[in-house]
Amino acid sequence: MRTRPLRLLMAGLLLASLAAPVAAETPKDTLVMAKVIDDIISLDPAEVFELSGGEMIANLYDRIMMYEPEDTTRLVGGVAESWNVSDNGRTFTLKIKRGLRFHSGNPVTARDAAYSLQRVIKLDKTPAFILSQLGWTKDNVGDLVRAVDDATLQATITKDFAPTFVLNCLSAGVGSVVDMKEVQNHEKDGDLGHAWLKTNSAGSGPFRLRQWKANDSVVMDAFPGYRHGPPKVRRAVVRHIAEPAAQRLQLEKGDIDMARNITPDQLATLRNRPDIVVGTYPKADLYYLGLNQKHEHLKKPKVRQAIRWLVDYQGMADTFLRGQFKVHQAFWPSGFFSSLTDTPFRLDVAKAKQLLADAGVPNGFSVKLDHANTAPFMDVAQSIQSTMGQAGIKVELVPADSKQVITKYRARNHDLVLLYWSPDYMDPHSNADTFARNPDNSDDAKTKPLAWRNAWDIPDLTRKTDAAVLERDAEKRKQMYLDLQRTVQQDSAFVIMFQSTEQAAMRKNVKSFVSGPTFDTVFYRLVTK
Amino acid sequence: MNVATPAGTGRGSSLGLFVFRIGRLAVTVALTFLGLLFVTFVIGRVIPIDPALAILGDRALPHVYERVRHELGLDLPLYHQFWIYLVKAVRGDLGSSVLTGRPVIDDIRQFFPATVELATFATVLGVALGVPMGVWAAAARGRWLDHLVRVLALIGYSVPVFWLGLVGLLVFYARLDLVAGPGRLDVAYEYVVEPWSGLVLLDSLLAGELGVFRNALAHVVLPGAILGYLSLAYIARMTRSFMLAELGQEYVVAARVKGLSEARVIWRHALGNVMVPLVTVIALSYAYLLEGAVLTETVFAWPGLGLYITQSLFNADMTAVLGGTLVVGVAFVGLNLLSDVLYTFFDPRAR
């Protein structure tokens, strides 16, 4: 009798030992990547607006215009071979490359391109504004965007926008070309195939979607018929591994080829390993402080000035943010058309104290700072709290889930807010539109750009921003954006602090991973291992 | 609720009693679920997160934002929203998750089996080791074995599972290479077996894919063992204290006086009587694990129900949270009923 539990125990151990030693290596032809991908809510290019989702569709679809992995800063034709603009600047005629095929085998035509753009407007999901700002509505898009023949797409805009701006809009995720026949085959109740396309792909990109399992993985297979030739790996697997330490262990063991969310302190130790390389990629994300102009003190120009001198930009960038951020103080990130790279502000408590005295608050005041309860926001907020405290401004930190912070921000219920912003498309208007434009500052305004959220009323700047996006002379246009950036840098409801850098750790044999400036210029097709 | 049992001896009245009991049970269960859903619903609506934001991000145009709020029913009063949900739920429509873009029922079909696999593994381990340990500790009260079991149980109780998981990975996965890392399967083994039950261990066995089975087992061993340790700690402690109470009873003395072997006294007589409360303890600890062990699931990238519910809650995705809660509720109620049935098996008086 006594031995029965012992037998059970032995049986259990035996069962466990069955599992013992496991080969730890990823298949030769498969790229396995660990990444936090729980933000994906859809893979329909008409809806995708999340960071991870954007990255996925960049690898599944070709766009009308696009940035290629060979040069992520140069705008080129995707499915478009060439384009020209009518004399009045309003009609864009694009020739479609010949011989392109979708994953299904269907040819890529101008009709697919027109359908794709119309679909975005008709479905009217979050990113639709990128195209609707061109003047396209559900009622007129059928006439304004159309295929003249299989090889010619004609798109007409209703305002005199700068051509570069329009082409940049066509390079956003909403410019992805979907396979019209395939999508129509899966249409249900007039949904333009939306329900199906959320979890499937119908593109002509280097990969086709095999499966997306929410909170678990995205698996894509190489498309042998891709216009640049098939990707170097046969399959790419992105696994959702939330815990950075787990990502690191798996990378060290060789169970994954690449880890995308490893913390800076862990990267420091990984750098010493001979079998692991850390790649660094400049990004276009900006981290900034928002100053609500409804606050009795924050609305004073001298106080806004003082706060600019109370941030330890370089100190943070050299210590806990090292490798992740560089100091950047203008609203358009460096490395692009019309970037302003001056960084006139540094930590200077004495100067700030003088400014506060001039503003009539020599002893400072109390203020709340809302920020996300994750890295790097926690550390940055604490640094700001400490340096502002040196000039008498008592900062109370209010950490919360990021969605909670944004909910509060949108209601203009904050004092100070610490957040980041990434451009929606690579044209300076994308950021000017939100940092330097606020057409209606009333509480029930229709649009809520960042300037509105901070109740920063700027009729003059709004006019200048509106003019810049219409300017067709590239050099003049550049000067206009530089001026706008200088104005916002010197005195505004924003203290722009940093531009971010992505760091990814990978096995030494992994080569040619490309991560461009935005979330949707991350490409897998050149990767070899 | 204590209802006097109607007296009766005839066949008819015993049938009546049966129907009455079933009816009472049904009402209790229905009320339990109603309460559960209502509380969850209210919690989801009072957290200061705008559910429309989870779907749209914060850059959508105002009319898109308004449309989605309307589609979600957020422009209706709270009680009205709840009513709509209930009516649909009764018809078997749990709605769609905004985060995964799929019907909640499909999500649950995907996430729950992962949790069931882990929880079952852990519970089997917890029972197989916890019960004997508790019995041994009680039999050896005050001696070193007893102390050892109590210390082990105490550690299982007090060490954060998150830390235990990471250390476990570091030691058994990274250093010793005894088990596989986070996730349910290695990439090479994905898509080999068509999911049928969603339990990879079971599916791979049924398909005769031993390689996949081995790999799945290598993945489940560590998180399963860690959760099993927690469950063991609880079960061993409870078994010990039940056994101590039982071993002090007069019938145990009588059995010993009769000359029965000590093993028979302990394992047959005392343990036999402890089984009834023990079954409840085991059922509860199993149900607790079915709720999903969020932290363990996070560390081990285990796509289970706990993680799903938590993530949905952070995004104010209430249909998903409610659907998940419903499943957890069903698990609790079901296991409670099961332990009631098991009582009659272990205790002849309850038959």
Side-chain angles (χ1 to χ4, degrees):
Chain A
M1 260 349 255
R2 177 185 274 275
T3 51
R4 196 201 276 163
L6 268 179
R7 264 192 224 141
L8 262 175
L9 206 158
M10 293 305 288
L13 286 178
L14 209 80
L15 190 76
S17 69
L18 255 181
V22 194
E25 206 173 75
T26 58
K28 266 248 118 357
D29 53 359
T30 305
L31 171 69
V32 185
M33 185 189 292
K35 181 177 171 17
V36 176
I37 52 166
D38 54 8
D39 59 331
I40 303 180
I41 59 169
S42 169
L43 291 175
D44 183 339
E47 182 175 39
V48 171
F49 212 57
E50 291 68 42
L51 301 183
S52 305
E55 178 171 326
M56 299 309 141
I57 61 163
N59 289 286
L60 298 170
Y61 293 88
D62 267 347
R63 302 176 182 184
I64 297 177
M65 297 297 296
M66 63 192 280
Y67 294 88
E68 296 269 24
E70 285 81 0
D71 183 354
T72 54
T73 56
R74 200 162 67 92
L75 183 66
V76 293
V79 305
E81 172 94 74
S82 60
W83 51 93
N84 64 64
V85 188
S86 66
D87 288 342
N88 69 2
R90 290 197 173 188
T91 299
F92 291 70
T93 307
L94 301 105
K95 285 279 176 208
I96 304 296
K97 289 175 181 161
R98 288 190 186 277
L100 300 187
R101 299 239 164 231
F102 286 110
H103 303 151
S104 64
N106 294 333
V108 178
T109 68
R111 296 183 208 289
D112 297 289
Y115 173 76
S116 303
L117 295 177
Q118 291 167 2
R119 198 173 163 272
V120 171
I121 296 292
K122 285 179 184 160
L123 285 173
D124 202 12
K125 303 290 179 187
T126 303
F129 74 92
I130 297 173
L131 297 182
S132 66
Q133 63 185 344
L134 302 175
W136 300 341
T137 64
K138 281 177 194 180
D139 299 325
N140 71 16
V141 73
D143 299 325
L144 295 181
V145 178
R146 62 195 186 89
V148 179
D149 53 53
D150 272 359
T152 316
L153 172 72
Q154 204 172 69
T156 307
I157 56 174
T158 60
K159 262 190 184 173
D160 300 320
F161 289 117
T164 46
F165 167 72
V166 178
L167 293 171
N168 267 321
C169 289
L170 295 179
S171 78
V174 287
S176 301
V177 180
V178 302
D179 184 339
M180 178 170 71
K181 280 190 195 136
E182 186 80 1
V183 172
Q184 283 175 340
N185 281 342
H186 292 92
E187 187 166 311
K188 233 170 45 196
D189 309 325
D191 73 343
L192 301 174
H194 175 58
W196 180 77
L197 214 51
K198 269 180 121 153
T199 55
N200 290 282
S201 72
S204 57
F207 291 90
R208 71 199 310 176
L209 182 66
R210 183 181 171 115
Q211 194 179 33
W212 161 44
K213 277 198 261 178
N215 294 354
D216 184 65
S217 59
V218 174
V219 180
M220 39 181 103
D221 289 337
F223 173 43
Y226 190 56
R227 63 191 162 94
H228 287 295
K232 304 285 187 286
V233 287
R234 219 167 49 81
R235 181 176 287 178
V237 178
V238 186
R239 293 195 127 180
H240 175 63
I241 297 172
E243 176 51 40
Q247 288 197 5
R248 176 187 157 186
L249 284 179
Q250 288 199 288
L251 182 70
E252 287 177 345
K253 286 272 290 183
D255 275 349
I256 54 175
D257 299 312
M258 211 170 171
R260 301 280 299 280
N261 308 92
I262 295 196
T263 55
D265 55 317
Q266 291 177 334
L267 282 171
T269 52
L270 276 179
R271 273 179 219 276
N272 301 327
R273 289 185 58 123
D275 52 350
I276 286 168
V277 196
V278 177
T280 300
Y281 313 92
K283 290 278 154 185
D285 305 347
L286 300 175
Y287 284 67
Y288 70 93
L289 265 182
L291 285 52
N292 193 340
Q293 299 301 295
K294 291 189 165 187
H295 188 278
E296 56 165 333
H297 297 305
L298 296 178
K299 71 178 176 198
K300 298 173 184 164
K302 291 261 156 100
V303 170
R304 298 197 299 240
Q305 278 292 317
I307 291 176
R308 285 171 158 65
W309 296 101
L310 286 175
V311 176
D312 190 6
Y313 309 91
Q314 205 58 51
M316 285 191 261
D318 288 344
T319 54
F320 58 87
L321 296 179
R322 184 152 61 171
Q324 277 188 300
F325 290 96
K326 65 172 184 178
V327 177
H328 185 81
Q329 298 176 344
F331 70 66
W332 187 235
S334 67
F336 306 100
F337 169 71
S338 81
S339 306
L340 176 69
T341 51
D342 303 353
T343 51
F345 299 101
R346 63 195 148 72
L347 179 65
D348 188 337
V349 179
K351 195 176 234 170
K353 276 186 172 166
Q354 184 57 50
L355 284 162
L356 287 177
D358 293 351
V361 278
N363 299 319
F365 51 90
S366 293
V367 71
K368 287 181 181 168
L369 169 57
D370 287 285
H371 61 90
N373 54 9
T374 50
F377 298 100
M378 297 289 279
D379 295 330
V380 174
Q382 279 166 21
S383 169
I384 290 170
Q385 182 186 40
S386 131
T387 48
M388 284 179 56
Q390 290 173 29
I393 302 180
K394 287 169 281 302
V395 180
E396 184 191 332
L397 300 183
V398 190
D401 181 78
S402 63
K403 292 220 166 57
Q404 201 173 325
V405 174
I406 291 171
T407 303
K408 196 169 169 187
Y409 191 26
R410 285 176 64 99
R412 306 207 274 197
N413 283 333
H414 64 294
D415 296 344
L416 288 171
V417 69
L418 172 64
L419 263 177
Y420 76 99
W421 175 266
S422 54
D424 300 321
Y425 45 90
M426 288 320 294
D427 187 279
H429 180 69
S430 181
N431 283 11
D433 191 27
T434 198
F435 282 101
R437 186 169 182 274
N438 184 10
D440 177 4
N441 197 36
S442 63
D443 280 338
D444 53 357
K446 272 178 71 183
T447 53
K448 299 179 176 177
L450 298 185
W452 178 88
R453 292 185 203 179
N454 289 293
W456 189 39
D457 198 10
I458 40 168
D460 193 38
L461 269 184
T462 302
R463 264 194 303 278
K464 285 183 177 164
T465 299
D466 286 342
V469 71
L470 299 179
E471 179 54 55
R472 291 172 68 185
D473 181 311
E475 185 52 33
K476 255 196 210 158
R477 186 159 184 251
K478 180 174 161 187
Q479 287 308 323
M480 292 167 97
Y481 283 112
L482 287 173
D483 283 349
L484 281 169
Q485 288 178 79
R486 276 194 202 96
T487 311
V488 173
Q489 184 175 63
Q490 286 304 325
D491 180 25
S492 67
F494 305 102
V495 180
I496 296 161
M497 302 178 290
F498 305 110
Q499 182 175 347
S500 74
T501 306
E502 183 194 349
Q503 290 180 304
M506 57 198 95
R507 303 290 302 180
K508 202 176 176 184
N509 60 332
V510 178
K511 301 263 172 9
S512 305
F513 169 71
V514 178
S515 180
T518 55
F519 63 93
D520 64 351
T521 46
V522 179
F523 301 102
Y524 309 156
R525 79 168 154 91
L526 298 180
V527 173
T528 59
K529 58 171 278 200
Chain B
M1 189 168 66
N2 220 337
V3 182
T5 314
T9 47
R11 209 183 164 80
S13 66
S14 100
L15 183 73
L17 184 66
F18 179 74
V19 171
F20 172 74
R21 278 187 174 162
I22 292 291
R24 190 177 62 178
L25 185 69
V27 170
T28 313
V29 168
L31 283 178
T32 307
F33 279 120
L34 197 66
L36 183 68
L37 285 180
F38 184 72
V39 171
T40 315
F41 195 85
V42 170
I43 290 174
R45 284 292 178 256
V46 295
I47 52 174
I49 296 176
D50 184 345
L53 272 183
I55 310 179
L56 295 170
D58 72 334
R59 299 188 192 177
L61 291 178
H63 71 272
V64 178
Y65 179 78
E66 287 307 324
R67 188 188 68 214
V68 167
R69 279 187 70 83
H70 177 70
E71 280 168 8
L72 291 176
L74 294 173
D75 47 355
L76 299 171
L78 203 59
Y79 63 88
H80 197 162
Q81 295 178 33
F82 185 58
W83 175 247
I84 292 175
Y85 178 81
L86 272 189
V87 170
K88 278 192 177 170
V90 168
R91 289 192 197 129
D93 176 9
L94 293 183
S96 283
S97 156
V98 295
L99 283 187
T100 63
R102 300 191 309 172
V104 170
I105 202 92
D106 289 355
D107 282 346
I108 289 171
R109 222 172 272 148
Q110 180 194 326
F111 294 112
F112 195 51
T115 295
V116 170
E117 195 161 47
L118 197 58
T120 309
F121 190 93
T123 303
V124 168
L125 213 62
V127 173
L129 299 178
V131 173
M133 278 170 71
V135 173
W136 286 331
R141 183 180 190 185
R143 293 207 294 273
W144 67 270
L145 185 65
D146 185 26
H147 292 310
L148 183 72
V149 169
R150 286 168 65 190
V151 168
L152 279 177
L154 187 70
I155 294 174
Y157 253 74
S158 41
V159 173
V161 63
F162 190 76
W163 181 84
L164 211 56
L166 282 176
V167 170
L169 274 177
L170 190 67
V171 174
F172 296 105
Y173 165 64
R175 297 278 175 270
L176 299 178
D177 209 6
L178 285 174
V179 299
R184 289 180 82 186
L185 276 178
D186 281 352
V187 171
Y189 295 101
E190 296 252 27
Y191 305 107
V192 176
V193 174
E194 271 301 307
W196 173 72
S197 65
L199 305 168
V200 182
L201 286 174
L202 183 65
D203 290 349
S204 56
L205 269 190
L206 289 179
E209 291 283 354
L210 285 183
V212 180
F213 178 77
R214 271 177 65 110
N215 189 258
L217 194 60
H219 276 277
V220 81
V221 160
L222 190 57
I226 283 168
L227 284 181
Y229 181 34
L230 299 190
S231 133
L232 171 155
Y234 180 55
I235 291 173
R237 262 175 76 129
M238 295 310 283
T239 309
R240 179 180 174 276
S241 68
F242 290 148
M243 283 297 286
L244 280 180
E246 213 59 35
L247 287 175
Q249 298 282 334
E250 282 178 358
Y251 76 87
V252 171
V253 179
R256 280 176 179 150
V257 169
K258 258 167 58 183
L260 289 182
S261 75
E262 188 63 14
R264 203 172 166 81
V265 171
I266 292 171
W267 294 102
R268 172 62 63 89
H269 291 267
L271 184 61
N273 281 319
V274 162
M275 280 320 280
V276 172
L278 203 54
V279 161
T280 313
V281 165
I282 293 169
L284 277 182
S285 97
Y286 186 44
Y288 175 71
L289 289 177
L290 282 181
E291 209 175 295
V294 182
L295 294 179
T296 314
E297 286 175 3
T298 308
V299 173
F300 289 94
W302 198 266
L305 190 68
L307 210 54
Y308 175 67
I309 297 180
T310 314
Q311 210 129 46
S312 307
L313 191 61
F314 278 134
N315 286 291
D317 183 359
M318 283 323 287
T319 43
V321 175
L322 288 167
T325 310
L326 210 55
V327 173
V328 173
V330 170
F332 261 95
V333 171
L335 283 169
N336 261 320
L337 289 178
L338 183 71
S339 62
D340 282 351
V341 173
L342 285 179
Y343 283 170
T344 59
F345 179 74
F346 287 114
D347 186 353
R349 288 169 303 179
R351 277 171 209 160

mmCIF file of all heavy atoms in Angstrom, chain B residues 190-206:
data_model
loop_
_atom_site.group_PDB
_atom_site.id
_atom_site.type_symbol
_atom_site.label_atom_id
_atom_site.label_comp_id
_atom_site.label_asym_id
_atom_site.label_seq_id
_atom_site.Cartn_x
_atom_site.Cartn_y
_atom_site.Cartn_z
ATOM 1 N N GLU B 190 5.397 23.879 -35.372
ATOM 2 C CA GLU B 190 4.104 24.526 -35.598
ATOM 3 C C GLU B 190 3.498 23.987 -36.885
ATOM 4 O O GLU B 190 4.213 23.653 -37.818
ATOM 5 C CB GLU B 190 4.287 26.038 -35.737
ATOM 6 C CG GLU B 190 4.811 26.676 -34.492
ATOM 7 C CD GLU B 190 3.817 27.506 -33.720
ATOM 8 O OE1 GLU B 190 2.606 27.215 -33.828
ATOM 9 O OE2 GLU B 190 4.258 28.400 -33.003
ATOM 10 N N TYR B 191 2.212 23.949 -36.921
ATOM 11 C CA TYR B 191 1.456 23.588 -38.127
ATOM 12 C C TYR B 191 1.666 22.142 -38.566
ATOM 13 O O TYR B 191 1.318 21.785 -39.669
ATOM 14 C CB TYR B 191 1.819 24.523 -39.297
ATOM 15 C CG TYR B 191 1.617 25.949 -38.940
ATOM 16 C CD1 TYR B 191 2.697 26.787 -38.712
ATOM 17 C CD2 TYR B 191 0.333 26.443 -38.768
ATOM 18 C CE1 TYR B 191 2.499 28.098 -38.337
ATOM 19 C CE2 TYR B 191 0.131 27.755 -38.399
ATOM 20 C CZ TYR B 191 1.222 28.582 -38.184
ATOM 21 O OH TYR B 191 1.023 29.864 -37.820
ATOM 22 N N VAL B 192 2.278 21.313 -37.717
ATOM 23 C CA VAL B 192 2.419 19.911 -38.074
ATOM 24 C C VAL B 192 1.096 19.204 -37.795
ATOM 25 O O VAL B 192 0.609 18.409 -38.579
ATOM 26 C CB VAL B 192 3.564 19.248 -37.281
ATOM 27 C CG1 VAL B 192 3.638 17.763 -37.595
ATOM 28 C CG2 VAL B 192 4.889 19.928 -37.612
ATOM 29 N N VAL B 193 0.515 19.541 -36.632
ATOM 30 C CA VAL B 193 -0.717 18.883 -36.226
ATOM 31 C C VAL B 193 -1.882 19.856 -36.363
ATOM 32 O O VAL B 193 -1.802 20.995 -35.919
ATOM 33 C CB VAL B 193 -0.604 18.421 -34.754
ATOM 34 C CG1 VAL B 193 -1.927 17.866 -34.273
ATOM 35 C CG2 VAL B 193 0.504 17.395 -34.621
ATOM 36 N N GLU B 194 -2.943 19.400 -37.001
ATOM 37 C CA GLU B 194 -4.153 20.214 -37.092
ATOM 38 C C GLU B 194 -4.823 20.260 -35.723
ATOM 39 O O GLU B 194 -5.039 19.210 -35.106
ATOM 40 C CB GLU B 194 -5.129 19.586 -38.095
ATOM 41 C CG GLU B 194 -4.936 20.049 -39.516
ATOM 42 C CD GLU B 194 -5.079 21.556 -39.662
ATOM 43 O OE1 GLU B 194 -6.116 22.096 -39.218
ATOM 44 O OE2 GLU B 194 -4.154 22.191 -40.204
ATOM 45 N N PRO B 195 -5.128 21.450 -35.207
ATOM 46 C CA PRO B 195 -5.769 21.483 -33.890
ATOM 47 C C PRO B 195 -7.168 20.874 -33.932
ATOM 48 O O PRO B 195 -7.925 21.125 -34.865
ATOM 49 C CB PRO B 195 -5.819 22.982 -33.568
ATOM 50 C CG PRO B 195 -5.628 23.674 -34.860
ATOM 51 C CD PRO B 195 -4.899 22.755 -35.771
ATOM 52 N N TRP B 196 -7.438 20.051 -32.957
ATOM 53 C CA TRP B 196 -8.782 19.501 -32.846
ATOM 54 C C TRP B 196 -9.379 19.943 -31.513
ATOM 55 O O TRP B 196 -10.392 20.614 -31.473
ATOM 56 C CB TRP B 196 -8.741 17.964 -32.942
ATOM 57 C CG TRP B 196 -10.063 17.323 -32.661
ATOM 58 C CD1 TRP B 196 -11.160 17.338 -33.455
ATOM 59 C CD2 TRP B 196 -10.419 16.601 -31.494
ATOM 60 N NE1 TRP B 196 -12.195 16.666 -32.859
ATOM 61 C CE2 TRP B 196 -11.768 16.200 -31.645
ATOM 62 C CE3 TRP B 196 -9.730 16.250 -30.320
ATOM 63 C CZ2 TRP B 196 -12.447 15.473 -30.656
ATOM 64 C CZ3 TRP B 196 -10.400 15.523 -29.350
ATOM 65 C CH2 TRP B 196 -11.758 15.137 -29.530
ATOM 66 N N SER B 197 -8.722 19.587 -30.427
ATOM 67 C CA SER B 197 -9.207 20.013 -29.118
ATOM 68 C C SER B 197 -8.541 21.323 -28.706
ATOM 69 O O SER B 197 -9.010 22.010 -27.823
ATOM 70 C CB SER B 197 -8.892 18.949 -28.076
ATOM 71 O OG SER B 197 -7.482 18.839 -27.923
ATOM 72 N N GLY B 198 -7.432 21.685 -29.349
ATOM 73 C CA GLY B 198 -6.687 22.859 -28.926
ATOM 74 C C GLY B 198 -5.658 22.512 -27.859
ATOM 75 O O GLY B 198 -4.801 23.322 -27.537
ATOM 76 N N LEU B 199 -5.756 21.308 -27.293
ATOM 77 C CA LEU B 199 -4.752 20.850 -26.339
ATOM 78 C C LEU B 199 -3.650 20.184 -27.159
ATOM 79 O O LEU B 199 -3.852 19.098 -27.705
ATOM 80 C CB LEU B 199 -5.352 19.839 -25.357
ATOM 81 C CG LEU B 199 -6.590 20.293 -24.590
ATOM 82 C CD1 LEU B 199 -7.246 19.130 -23.887
ATOM 83 C CD2 LEU B 199 -6.211 21.366 -23.594
ATOM 84 N N VAL B 200 -2.511 20.839 -27.235
ATOM 85 C CA VAL B 200 -1.463 20.347 -28.145
ATOM 86 C C VAL B 200 -1.019 18.945 -27.754
ATOM 87 O O VAL B 200 -0.810 18.087 -28.612
ATOM 88 C CB VAL B 200 -0.268 21.315 -28.148
ATOM 89 C CG1 VAL B 200 0.788 20.823 -29.120
ATOM 90 C CG2 VAL B 200 -0.714 22.706 -28.542
ATOM 91 N N LEU B 201 -0.915 18.701 -26.456
ATOM 92 C CA LEU B 201 -0.470 17.375 -26.008
ATOM 93 C C LEU B 201 -1.413 16.287 -26.517
ATOM 94 O O LEU B 201 -0.988 15.272 -27.044
ATOM 95 C CB LEU B 201 -0.409 17.334 -24.482
ATOM 96 C CG LEU B 201 0.757 18.083 -23.821
ATOM 97 C CD1 LEU B 201 0.600 18.080 -22.310
ATOM 98 C CD2 LEU B 201 2.085 17.468 -24.217
ATOM 99 N N LEU B 202 -2.697 16.551 -26.361
ATOM 100 C CA LEU B 202 -3.698 15.568 -26.763
ATOM 101 C C LEU B 202 -3.748 15.419 -28.287
ATOM 102 O O LEU B 202 -3.705 14.309 -28.822
ATOM 103 C CB LEU B 202 -5.068 15.990 -26.221
ATOM 104 C CG LEU B 202 -6.219 15.039 -26.488
ATOM 105 C CD1 LEU B 202 -6.002 13.718 -25.765
ATOM 106 C CD2 LEU B 202 -7.547 15.662 -26.038
ATOM 107 N N ASP B 203 -3.796 16.576 -28.957
ATOM 108 C CA ASP B 203 -3.902 16.547 -30.417
ATOM 109 C C ASP B 203 -2.730 15.810 -31.050
ATOM 110 O O ASP B 203 -2.909 15.046 -31.999
ATOM 111 C CB ASP B 203 -3.974 17.977 -30.978
ATOM 112 C CG ASP B 203 -5.295 18.639 -30.638
ATOM 113 O OD1 ASP B 203 -6.196 17.920 -30.162
ATOM 114 O OD2 ASP B 203 -5.420 19.851 -30.842
ATOM 115 N N SER B 204 -1.523 16.067 -30.543
ATOM 116 C CA SER B 204 -0.351 15.440 -31.155
ATOM 117 C C SER B 204 -0.364 13.930 -30.918
ATOM 118 O O SER B 204 0.011 13.159 -31.781
ATOM 119 C CB SER B 204 0.929 16.061 -30.617
ATOM 120 O OG SER B 204 0.960 15.968 -29.215
ATOM 121 N N LEU B 205 -0.835 13.512 -29.745
ATOM 122 C CA LEU B 205 -0.926 12.083 -29.470
ATOM 123 C C LEU B 205 -1.932 11.428 -30.404
ATOM 124 O O LEU B 205 -1.673 10.373 -30.979
ATOM 125 C CB LEU B 205 -1.353 11.846 -28.027
ATOM 126 C CG LEU B 205 -0.245 11.695 -26.985
ATOM 127 C CD1 LEU B 205 -0.821 11.227 -25.668
ATOM 128 C CD2 LEU B 205 0.824 10.715 -27.464
ATOM 129 N N LEU B 206 -3.086 12.071 -30.547
ATOM 130 C CA LEU B 206 -4.132 11.524 -31.401
ATOM 131 C C LEU B 206 -3.654 11.405 -32.842
ATOM 132 O O LEU B 206 -4.002 10.470 -33.556
ATOM 133 C CB LEU B 206 -5.389 12.396 -31.339
ATOM 134 C CG LEU B 206 -6.165 12.330 -30.014
ATOM 135 C CD1 LEU B 206 -7.366 13.253 -30.060
ATOM 136 C CD2 LEU B 206 -6.600 10.898 -29.730
#
